[in-house]
Amino acid sequence: MSSLLEVSGVSVSFDGFKAINNLSFAIGDAELRAIIGPNGAGKTTFMDIVTGRTRPDEGRVLWGEANVSLLGLSEARIAREGIGRKFQKPTVFEDQTVLENLLMALRNARGPFQVLFYRPTPGDLDRVHELAGEIGLMDALGRKSGELSHGQKQWLEIGMLLAQEPRLLLVDEPAAGMTPAEREHTTTLLVAAAKSRAVVVIEHDMEFVRRLGCKVTVLHEGAVLAEGSLDHVTANRKVIDVYLGR
């Protein structure tokens, strides 16, 4: 299977500390992957490199069928290439309704003037209703986003990213602070999203990772320590020593 994203031999240091150390990682189109590892393993730095927030000292980051190098591209250009990122804390427009948030996120070519005079087309509204159904917020379309629960805000933000039709979705600790029911819905949402795009989930909650039922990459000291099913990596002696044994 050809890779949608291929990271090879990437290293980056901050003040002499090697946050990422000769890291190689690949994900295919329409694949779900979980990344786990102790604090300081390089999980967030990995996402920063892929999305252009951090420039590595060495290595390659190649994207798509044309093997475009993401190094040197701006964060905005990388987002336009089809890489969406969801941070741990949800960022939605709290004074706007769920409907308005989703409409603003739709991938339409709009400059400042178009945004000012924007009127949603029937097609836009159909797409928003489709997204609201996918993320489980159909009944909340008229509610202000600030009134939503923590979990619902996370789903809305995932919906806003999906509205931009990314080919790769990077999701940072989606289960944090959620109720068990919200976590279950989030699992369903991410598994469904990965049917038509690549989804990479950074997560600490092992039960959540187990429910995702996907391949797991374990990072330690900025490099891949193990890869495989959750049962496979959690039975690995090196993983037990550095991570689960703490």
PDB file of all heavy atoms in Angstrom, residues 105-125:
ATOM      1  N   ALA A 105     -16.997  26.731   8.377  1.00  0.00           N
ATOM      2  CA  ALA A 105     -15.884  25.804   8.139  1.00  0.00           C
ATOM      3  C   ALA A 105     -15.910  25.174   6.754  1.00  0.00           C
ATOM      4  O   ALA A 105     -14.907  24.602   6.328  1.00  0.00           O
ATOM      5  CB  ALA A 105     -15.905  24.702   9.200  1.00  0.00           C
ATOM      6  N   LEU A 106     -17.042  25.262   6.047  1.00  0.00           N
ATOM      7  CA  LEU A 106     -17.146  24.598   4.745  1.00  0.00           C
ATOM      8  C   LEU A 106     -16.029  25.028   3.809  1.00  0.00           C
ATOM      9  O   LEU A 106     -15.641  26.198   3.790  1.00  0.00           O
ATOM     10  CB  LEU A 106     -18.496  24.909   4.077  1.00  0.00           C
ATOM     11  CG  LEU A 106     -19.712  24.175   4.611  1.00  0.00           C
ATOM     12  CD1 LEU A 106     -20.939  24.594   3.819  1.00  0.00           C
ATOM     13  CD2 LEU A 106     -19.545  22.657   4.559  1.00  0.00           C
ATOM     14  N   ARG A 107     -15.561  24.078   3.036  1.00  0.00           N
ATOM     15  CA  ARG A 107     -14.423  24.368   2.155  1.00  0.00           C
ATOM     16  C   ARG A 107     -14.899  25.090   0.897  1.00  0.00           C
ATOM     17  O   ARG A 107     -15.027  24.510  -0.162  1.00  0.00           O
ATOM     18  CB  ARG A 107     -13.708  23.069   1.791  1.00  0.00           C
ATOM     19  CG  ARG A 107     -12.441  23.323   1.018  1.00  0.00           C
ATOM     20  CD  ARG A 107     -11.622  22.093   0.851  1.00  0.00           C
ATOM     21  NE  ARG A 107     -10.352  22.475   0.241  1.00  0.00           N
ATOM     22  CZ  ARG A 107      -9.322  21.677   0.131  1.00  0.00           C
ATOM     23  NH1 ARG A 107      -9.378  20.470   0.576  1.00  0.00           N
ATOM     24  NH2 ARG A 107      -8.209  22.096  -0.445  1.00  0.00           N
ATOM     25  N   ASN A 108     -15.181  26.351   1.033  1.00  0.00           N
ATOM     26  CA  ASN A 108     -15.533  27.173  -0.126  1.00  0.00           C
ATOM     27  C   ASN A 108     -14.425  28.191  -0.328  1.00  0.00           C
ATOM     28  O   ASN A 108     -13.867  28.701   0.633  1.00  0.00           O
ATOM     29  CB  ASN A 108     -16.855  27.920   0.125  1.00  0.00           C
ATOM     30  CG  ASN A 108     -18.028  26.962   0.222  1.00  0.00           C
ATOM     31  OD1 ASN A 108     -18.021  25.920  -0.402  1.00  0.00           O
ATOM     32  ND2 ASN A 108     -19.012  27.298   1.027  1.00  0.00           N
ATOM     33  N   ALA A 109     -14.130  28.501  -1.583  1.00  0.00           N
ATOM     34  CA  ALA A 109     -13.087  29.499  -1.848  1.00  0.00           C
ATOM     35  C   ALA A 109     -13.686  30.875  -1.590  1.00  0.00           C
ATOM     36  O   ALA A 109     -14.435  31.405  -2.402  1.00  0.00           O
ATOM     37  CB  ALA A 109     -12.631  29.375  -3.293  1.00  0.00           C
ATOM     38  N   ARG A 110     -13.375  31.416  -0.411  1.00  0.00           N
ATOM     39  CA  ARG A 110     -13.996  32.701  -0.055  1.00  0.00           C
ATOM     40  C   ARG A 110     -12.931  33.681   0.452  1.00  0.00           C
ATOM     41  O   ARG A 110     -12.223  33.384   1.403  1.00  0.00           O
ATOM     42  CB  ARG A 110     -15.040  32.501   1.061  1.00  0.00           C
ATOM     43  CG  ARG A 110     -16.229  31.679   0.614  1.00  0.00           C
ATOM     44  CD  ARG A 110     -17.437  31.996   1.467  1.00  0.00           C
ATOM     45  NE  ARG A 110     -17.257  31.628   2.857  1.00  0.00           N
ATOM     46  CZ  ARG A 110     -17.623  30.457   3.359  1.00  0.00           C
ATOM     47  NH1 ARG A 110     -18.155  29.540   2.594  1.00  0.00           N
ATOM     48  NH2 ARG A 110     -17.453  30.198   4.629  1.00  0.00           N
ATOM     49  N   GLY A 111     -12.861  34.823  -0.193  1.00  0.00           N
ATOM     50  CA  GLY A 111     -12.013  35.895   0.316  1.00  0.00           C
ATOM     51  C   GLY A 111     -12.810  36.706   1.328  1.00  0.00           C
ATOM     52  O   GLY A 111     -13.971  36.417   1.594  1.00  0.00           O
ATOM     53  N   PRO A 112     -12.212  37.784   1.877  1.00  0.00           N
ATOM     54  CA  PRO A 112     -12.884  38.585   2.902  1.00  0.00           C
ATOM     55  C   PRO A 112     -14.236  39.143   2.443  1.00  0.00           C
ATOM     56  O   PRO A 112     -15.200  39.155   3.208  1.00  0.00           O
ATOM     57  CB  PRO A 112     -11.899  39.711   3.198  1.00  0.00           C
ATOM     58  CG  PRO A 112     -10.689  39.469   2.386  1.00  0.00           C
ATOM     59  CD  PRO A 112     -10.856  38.223   1.598  1.00  0.00           C
ATOM     60  N   PHE A 113     -14.330  39.568   1.178  1.00  0.00           N
ATOM     61  CA  PHE A 113     -15.597  40.153   0.714  1.00  0.00           C
ATOM     62  C   PHE A 113     -16.674  39.088   0.570  1.00  0.00           C
ATOM     63  O   PHE A 113     -17.828  39.301   0.935  1.00  0.00           O
ATOM     64  CB  PHE A 113     -15.399  40.896  -0.619  1.00  0.00           C
ATOM     65  CG  PHE A 113     -14.640  42.177  -0.435  1.00  0.00           C
ATOM     66  CD1 PHE A 113     -13.351  42.299  -0.916  1.00  0.00           C
ATOM     67  CD2 PHE A 113     -15.210  43.247   0.264  1.00  0.00           C
ATOM     68  CE1 PHE A 113     -12.627  43.473  -0.722  1.00  0.00           C
ATOM     69  CE2 PHE A 113     -14.497  44.425   0.455  1.00  0.00           C
ATOM     70  CZ  PHE A 113     -13.209  44.531  -0.032  1.00  0.00           C
ATOM     71  N   GLN A 114     -16.268  37.920   0.051  1.00  0.00           N
ATOM     72  CA  GLN A 114     -17.246  36.837  -0.076  1.00  0.00           C
ATOM     73  C   GLN A 114     -17.786  36.440   1.292  1.00  0.00           C
ATOM     74  O   GLN A 114     -18.961  36.150   1.439  1.00  0.00           O
ATOM     75  CB  GLN A 114     -16.622  35.611  -0.765  1.00  0.00           C
ATOM     76  CG  GLN A 114     -16.374  35.811  -2.260  1.00  0.00           C
ATOM     77  CD  GLN A 114     -14.947  36.237  -2.540  1.00  0.00           C
ATOM     78  OE1 GLN A 114     -14.379  37.012  -1.772  1.00  0.00           O
ATOM     79  NE2 GLN A 114     -14.380  35.734  -3.620  1.00  0.00           N
ATOM     80  N   VAL A 115     -16.901  36.399   2.288  1.00  0.00           N
ATOM     81  CA  VAL A 115     -17.327  36.024   3.638  1.00  0.00           C
ATOM     82  C   VAL A 115     -18.338  37.040   4.167  1.00  0.00           C
ATOM     83  O   VAL A 115     -19.359  36.702   4.770  1.00  0.00           O
ATOM     84  CB  VAL A 115     -16.110  35.917   4.595  1.00  0.00           C
ATOM     85  CG1 VAL A 115     -16.568  35.809   6.051  1.00  0.00           C
ATOM     86  CG2 VAL A 115     -15.263  34.706   4.236  1.00  0.00           C
ATOM     87  N   LEU A 116     -18.064  38.318   3.886  1.00  0.00           N
ATOM     88  CA  LEU A 116     -18.928  39.400   4.374  1.00  0.00           C
ATOM     89  C   LEU A 116     -20.349  39.273   3.819  1.00  0.00           C
ATOM     90  O   LEU A 116     -21.332  39.474   4.537  1.00  0.00           O
ATOM     91  CB  LEU A 116     -18.308  40.736   3.935  1.00  0.00           C
ATOM     92  CG  LEU A 116     -18.588  41.971   4.767  1.00  0.00           C
ATOM     93  CD1 LEU A 116     -18.187  41.763   6.217  1.00  0.00           C
ATOM     94  CD2 LEU A 116     -17.845  43.162   4.186  1.00  0.00           C
ATOM     95  N   PHE A 117     -20.458  38.912   2.556  1.00  0.00           N
ATOM     96  CA  PHE A 117     -21.780  38.862   1.907  1.00  0.00           C
ATOM     97  C   PHE A 117     -22.238  37.423   1.651  1.00  0.00           C
ATOM     98  O   PHE A 117     -23.081  37.172   0.808  1.00  0.00           O
ATOM     99  CB  PHE A 117     -21.737  39.642   0.575  1.00  0.00           C
ATOM    100  CG  PHE A 117     -21.320  41.073   0.774  1.00  0.00           C
ATOM    101  CD1 PHE A 117     -20.084  41.517   0.338  1.00  0.00           C
ATOM    102  CD2 PHE A 117     -22.157  41.966   1.421  1.00  0.00           C
ATOM    103  CE1 PHE A 117     -19.686  42.839   0.537  1.00  0.00           C
ATOM    104  CE2 PHE A 117     -21.769  43.282   1.623  1.00  0.00           C
ATOM    105  CZ  PHE A 117     -20.534  43.721   1.188  1.00  0.00           C
ATOM    106  N   TYR A 118     -21.648  36.491   2.403  1.00  0.00           N
ATOM    107  CA  TYR A 118     -21.923  35.077   2.163  1.00  0.00           C
ATOM    108  C   TYR A 118     -23.364  34.697   2.486  1.00  0.00           C
ATOM    109  O   TYR A 118     -23.888  35.021   3.549  1.00  0.00           O
ATOM    110  CB  TYR A 118     -20.954  34.233   3.008  1.00  0.00           C
ATOM    111  CG  TYR A 118     -21.264  32.762   3.021  1.00  0.00           C
ATOM    112  CD1 TYR A 118     -21.248  32.016   1.843  1.00  0.00           C
ATOM    113  CD2 TYR A 118     -21.561  32.110   4.221  1.00  0.00           C
ATOM    114  CE1 TYR A 118     -21.528  30.665   1.852  1.00  0.00           C
ATOM    115  CE2 TYR A 118     -21.844  30.756   4.237  1.00  0.00           C
ATOM    116  CZ  TYR A 118     -21.820  30.041   3.047  1.00  0.00           C
ATOM    117  OH  TYR A 118     -22.104  28.707   3.061  1.00  0.00           O
ATOM    118  N   ARG A 119     -24.018  34.044   1.552  1.00  0.00           N
ATOM    119  CA  ARG A 119     -25.332  33.446   1.785  1.00  0.00           C
ATOM    120  C   ARG A 119     -25.227  31.969   1.455  1.00  0.00           C
ATOM    121  O   ARG A 119     -24.860  31.615   0.338  1.00  0.00           O
ATOM    122  CB  ARG A 119     -26.404  34.097   0.877  1.00  0.00           C
ATOM    123  CG  ARG A 119     -26.702  35.546   1.199  1.00  0.00           C
ATOM    124  CD  ARG A 119     -27.454  35.699   2.534  1.00  0.00           C
ATOM    125  NE  ARG A 119     -27.612  37.104   2.901  1.00  0.00           N
ATOM    126  CZ  ARG A 119     -26.719  37.804   3.589  1.00  0.00           C
ATOM    127  NH1 ARG A 119     -25.594  37.237   3.956  1.00  0.00           N
ATOM    128  NH2 ARG A 119     -26.951  39.058   3.911  1.00  0.00           N
ATOM    129  N   PRO A 120     -25.521  31.097   2.415  1.00  0.00           N
ATOM    130  CA  PRO A 120     -25.364  29.663   2.149  1.00  0.00           C
ATOM    131  C   PRO A 120     -26.283  29.178   1.027  1.00  0.00           C
ATOM    132  O   PRO A 120     -27.437  29.600   0.948  1.00  0.00           O
ATOM    133  CB  PRO A 120     -25.733  29.000   3.477  1.00  0.00           C
ATOM    134  CG  PRO A 120     -26.473  30.025   4.264  1.00  0.00           C
ATOM    135  CD  PRO A 120     -26.012  31.354   3.779  1.00  0.00           C
ATOM    136  N   THR A 121     -25.746  28.345   0.171  1.00  0.00           N
ATOM    137  CA  THR A 121     -26.545  27.749  -0.904  1.00  0.00           C
ATOM    138  C   THR A 121     -27.288  26.534  -0.330  1.00  0.00           C
ATOM    139  O   THR A 121     -26.919  26.028   0.737  1.00  0.00           O
ATOM    140  CB  THR A 121     -25.637  27.269  -2.046  1.00  0.00           C
ATOM    141  OG1 THR A 121     -24.834  26.187  -1.533  1.00  0.00           O
ATOM    142  CG2 THR A 121     -24.730  28.374  -2.557  1.00  0.00           C
ATOM    143  N   PRO A 122     -28.320  26.038  -1.038  1.00  0.00           N
ATOM    144  CA  PRO A 122     -28.980  24.810  -0.585  1.00  0.00           C
ATOM    145  C   PRO A 122     -27.983  23.656  -0.427  1.00  0.00           C
ATOM    146  O   PRO A 122     -28.091  22.853   0.491  1.00  0.00           O
ATOM    147  CB  PRO A 122     -29.989  24.530  -1.706  1.00  0.00           C
ATOM    148  CG  PRO A 122     -30.296  25.874  -2.287  1.00  0.00           C
ATOM    149  CD  PRO A 122     -29.013  26.642  -2.207  1.00  0.00           C
ATOM    150  N   GLY A 123     -26.990  23.622  -1.324  1.00  0.00           N
ATOM    151  CA  GLY A 123     -25.954  22.579  -1.229  1.00  0.00           C
ATOM    152  C   GLY A 123     -25.146  22.697   0.049  1.00  0.00           C
ATOM    153  O   GLY A 123     -24.802  21.691   0.692  1.00  0.00           O
ATOM    154  N   ASP A 124     -24.817  23.950   0.445  1.00  0.00           N
ATOM    155  CA  ASP A 124     -24.083  24.189   1.700  1.00  0.00           C
ATOM    156  C   ASP A 124     -24.895  23.674   2.889  1.00  0.00           C
ATOM    157  O   ASP A 124     -24.362  23.014   3.786  1.00  0.00           O
ATOM    158  CB  ASP A 124     -23.814  25.689   1.904  1.00  0.00           C
ATOM    159  CG  ASP A 124     -22.786  26.243   0.926  1.00  0.00           C
ATOM    160  OD1 ASP A 124     -22.053  25.434   0.321  1.00  0.00           O
ATOM    161  OD2 ASP A 124     -22.725  27.477   0.772  1.00  0.00           O
ATOM    162  N   LEU A 125     -26.174  23.993   2.905  1.00  0.00           N
ATOM    163  CA  LEU A 125     -27.036  23.591   4.028  1.00  0.00           C
ATOM    164  C   LEU A 125     -27.191  22.064   4.078  1.00  0.00           C
ATOM    165  O   LEU A 125     -27.189  21.478   5.165  1.00  0.00           O
ATOM    166  CB  LEU A 125     -28.398  24.279   3.925  1.00  0.00           C
ATOM    167  CG  LEU A 125     -28.353  25.794   4.169  1.00  0.00           C
ATOM    168  CD1 LEU A 125     -29.679  26.444   3.797  1.00  0.00           C
ATOM    169  CD2 LEU A 125     -28.000  26.115   5.631  1.00  0.00           C
TER     170      LEU A 125
END
